[in-house]
Amino acid sequence: MIGASDARIIRSHVLPHLVAPMIVYSTLTVASFVLLEAGLSFLGLGIKFDASWGNLLSAAPEYYTTRPLLMLWPGLAVLLTTLAFNLLGDGLRDAFDPRSSN
């Protein structure tokens, strides 16, 4: 790499190794933000929107004897959303990993 410009060294050696960690971190952050919003809304500290998963989960225990599935669907939605973002991050990390043998 003697004689190569700094931009070429960064583009060819540094950036390929930074893409995978940045993508994985961003997808894990989105999943944690979903959980944070649902948790704060469940506690009554989040957004004042009736269709928030946390608000739906906090209102569901009033109806658990007559409609027990009201607790199941928002919980499954939060679970599947966070699982999807985590799996997306893992898949993108494997796709962009410069050390993987294709």
Side-chain angles (χ1 to χ4, degrees):
M1 297 305 298
I2 295 178
S5 67
D6 291 340
R8 180 176 175 169
I9 293 171
I10 290 172
R11 188 178 66 241
S12 63
H13 290 284
V14 176
L15 287 181
H17 294 285
L18 289 178
V19 171
M22 287 182 352
I23 289 174
V24 172
Y25 179 72
S26 64
T27 56
L28 292 176
T29 302
V30 169
S32 67
F33 285 155
V34 168
L35 287 174
L36 180 68
E37 187 278 326
L40 287 175
S41 294
F42 179 79
L43 295 174
L45 301 173
I47 58 175
K48 304 297 181 205
F49 185 60
D50 291 335
S52 173
W53 288 329
N55 289 337
L56 292 173
L57 283 171
S58 68
E62 299 173 17
Y63 307 104
Y64 77 93
T65 57
T66 57
R67 313 252 343 204
L69 291 179
L70 287 177
M71 291 187 287
L72 179 70
W73 300 122
L76 281 177
V78 171
L79 174 80
L80 292 177
T81 303
T82 55
L83 179 66
F85 277 111
N86 286 333
L87 291 177
L88 176 69
D90 287 340
L92 289 174
R93 182 193 61 209
D94 292 341
F96 288 130
D97 192 10
R99 293 175 295 252
S100 68
S101 59
N102 292 335

